[in-house]
Amino acid sequence: MIFAETLENLDIGFSSVATIWNRFYSAGNKRRVKFKRLKTLVLEFMEPADAKVKPSGESKLVSLYDDCYFASSESSSVSGDSPTCTESDSPTFDNTDEDDDDATLLDPDSPTLLQFYQQRKPRDKTWPLFPKLQSLSISKYPDSISRILRHFPIESIPRISIRDISRGWSSLNATAAARLSSLRVHISPQRFGAKHDEYRYQAWINRLFLVSSSMVSLQLDAPTSIPISLPDVIGLTCLSTLSFSFRIDLGTVPNLLSRLPYLKQLAMHVHPWSSWSHRCHGLLEYGDYEMLAHIPPLSRSLRKLVAYVGLDTSASDDQDCSDSTSDGPMVVERELAWLLARVPSLRLFKTEEMSSKAIRACIDDMLSYKDIVPHIEHLLGVEIEVWKY
């Protein structure tokens, strides 16, 4: 490639798996190409012929991620006071889940990976090198994502974005992935949706969050239907930006916030029926406002919270509680208001229009109790915006 010596940013679109590496060489050139200065590489592949049409909800997930991501980019470019973390030794969590491909990403002990290197043909030596790469983005890769990632120096690339993939995601080695500075994994609805996939995803989430890491930005997107929970012990304590575009169990968020002392921005898709059994039995005392004067804050760093509350029309009748009616806020909206009251550093909250009205009403109700106003006076300055997609 003519500009390999000086190129710093490269964006290649409409690629096929069969010809992607040929695009880095001119006709007849078999010498290894070394991109000595390339810092950003974007590879977008063509949609497979059998790709399914994305459901309408997919656009909501993407825009929810974008809302948090772009805000993070703006804040990082303005302020230079990003906290620093020291990465501690990362425990090993073996991935034992089966996947539709036997390749294992970022796992040096993988038999498949060892066999791959042993069987490499001479022509494979002409693959390009990216010694200075700082950001790698791959989208719509139709095969197992690990097949292409093994050609890059993953251990030295701080920012990786993997979008619209459907194969190989469960073989992501959580310990290695958590060593990155920034990670995005967006799983396509194609071939995802069976309960088996959702339970595998829950297991992978658990492994990822348990790893002690200095990662500062994490975006996770998956078309889940069941509420995804998080482990009690959180190892990703240095996160400053976090985005969940899968349906998260709201009951796990308080513990999460209390264990992320540097978190500034959080975007999440709240499952409306998460922790429903606890709600119906009155175990979440969100209505006892006097408790707010005696319980500690959940976070003193979070400044922006985006929460999409999607109604689940498939919910069963046994999930119907008297607290959730069309005449007032849903229980999940009351709980979100309670959550805001316990984050004194919060400056901006965004949600969809109906929920914004309901949560604003809950906040007004809280502020009517004069005895607790000194403990939640930050709510007077929280800006509530309507999240649009």
Side-chain angles (χ1 to χ4, degrees):
M1 180 173 282
I2 299 177
F3 303 105
E5 295 286 333
T6 59
L7 203 60
E8 294 188 2
N9 300 283
L10 179 59
D11 191 329
I12 299 180
F14 301 101
S15 302
S16 69
V17 175
T19 62
I20 178 61
W21 300 117
N22 295 338
R23 302 184 69 176
F24 287 86
Y25 297 89
S26 58
N29 181 16
K30 296 299 182 182
R31 294 181 301 173
R32 183 188 294 272
V33 176
K34 188 175 183 178
F35 290 83
K36 296 181 179 181
R37 300 177 61 180
L38 191 68
K39 296 180 179 180
T40 302
L41 177 61
V42 178
L43 301 177
E44 182 177 0
F45 290 82
M46 294 184 295
E47 289 280 7
D50 59 346
K52 297 180 181 179
V53 178
K54 295 180 181 180
S56 58
E58 183 71 6
S59 60
K60 299 178 182 179
L61 303 185
V62 175
S63 60
L64 178 61
Y65 157 77
D66 288 340
D67 190 286
C68 189
Y69 175 78
F70 288 124
S72 174
S73 300
E74 293 171 0
S75 63
S76 62
S77 63
V78 174
S79 61
D81 58 347
S82 299
T84 58
C85 287
T86 301
E87 181 178 1
S88 58
D89 294 336
S90 300
T92 300
F93 296 93
D94 295 330
N95 191 342
T96 57
D97 290 332
E98 295 181 358
D99 194 62
D100 52 6
D101 188 272
D102 59 359
T104 305
L105 170 65
L106 302 176
D107 189 350
D109 298 322
S110 167
T112 304
L113 188 55
L114 295 176
Q115 183 181 17
F116 168 80
Y117 283 119
Q118 292 170 0
Q119 295 179 352
R120 293 177 76 175
K121 299 179 181 180
R123 63 181 177 87
D124 292 339
K125 295 180 180 180
T126 61
W127 287 344
L129 297 177
F130 308 95
K132 300 295 184 180
L133 201 60
Q134 298 294 301
S135 177
L136 173 64
S137 177
I138 300 175
S139 62
K140 302 177 183 178
Y141 189 73
D143 292 338
S144 176
I145 188 63
S146 53
R147 290 181 175 177
I148 186 170
L149 283 177
R150 57 164 61 107
H151 301 311
F152 295 91
I154 300 299
E155 66 283 352
S156 62
I157 303 177
R159 297 181 297 277
I160 294 181
S161 175
I162 306 170
R163 298 184 295 112
D164 292 312
I165 63 168
S166 58
R167 299 182 62 184
W169 57 267
S170 67
S171 65
L172 287 166
N173 183 275
T175 303
R179 294 186 183 131
L180 302 172
S181 172
S182 175
L183 174 66
R184 182 190 182 188
V185 179
H186 175 203
I187 301 174
S188 170
Q190 182 188 6
R191 300 182 60 185
F192 187 100
K195 292 297 182 182
H196 175 63
D197 288 331
E198 302 204 352
Y199 292 135
R200 282 196 304 166
Y201 190 70
Q202 175 68 80
W204 184 77
I205 290 294
N206 291 341
R207 287 193 297 272
L208 180 63
F209 274 86
L210 283 170
V211 179
S212 180
S213 167
S214 58
M215 181 185 294
V216 297
S217 178
L218 177 63
Q219 287 86 31
L220 299 171
D221 310 80
T224 59
S225 61
I226 61 175
I228 299 296
S229 61
L230 300 175
D232 292 336
V233 177
I234 303 295
L236 305 179
T237 56
C238 292
L239 286 174
S240 62
T241 300
L242 180 58
S243 173
F244 297 120
S245 285
F246 53 71
R247 296 185 172 192
I248 192 171
D249 186 334
L250 184 60
T252 69
V253 175
N255 176 70
L256 175 71
L257 290 178
S258 66
R259 295 180 181 274
L260 297 179
Y262 303 101
L263 188 66
K264 293 182 179 180
Q265 301 181 75
L266 172 64
M268 58 184 180
H269 184 169
V270 180
H271 198 292
W273 313 120
S274 57
S275 300
W276 196 263
S277 60
H278 297 292
R279 293 187 180 121
C280 288
H281 289 90
L283 299 181
L284 297 177
E285 300 293 342
Y286 57 81
D288 188 0
Y289 295 148
E290 293 183 358
M291 289 181 60
L292 292 171
H294 307 287
I295 54 180
L298 294 174
S299 174
R300 295 187 181 276
S301 62
L302 188 67
R303 301 182 64 83
K304 178 178 180 179
L305 176 62
V306 182
Y308 171 72
V309 183
L311 286 175
D312 189 350
T313 57
S314 63
S316 58
D317 293 337
D318 60 357
Q319 290 173 321
D320 184 21
C321 293
S322 58
D323 285 332
S324 178
T325 68
S326 59
D327 298 328
M330 297 188 300
V331 178
V332 67
E333 293 167 337
R334 297 175 187 270
E335 289 183 355
L336 278 171
W338 180 271
L339 193 71
L340 303 185
R342 298 185 63 188
V343 183
S345 57
L346 193 67
R347 295 295 178 266
L348 176 63
F349 175 69
K350 297 182 70 172
T351 188
E352 65 268 33
E353 184 173 6
M354 293 302 296
S355 291
S356 67
K357 294 179 180 179
I359 293 173
R360 192 186 299 274
C362 292
I363 290 176
D364 291 341
D365 189 30
M366 287 183 185
L367 293 173
S368 67
Y369 290 77
K370 303 301 182 182
D371 293 340
I372 66 168
V373 169
H375 303 280
I376 60 172
E377 60 182 358
H378 67 278
L379 291 176
L380 295 170
V382 173
E383 183 179 358
I384 300 179
E385 292 184 358
V386 175
W387 174 67
K388 298 179 180 180
Y389 50 84

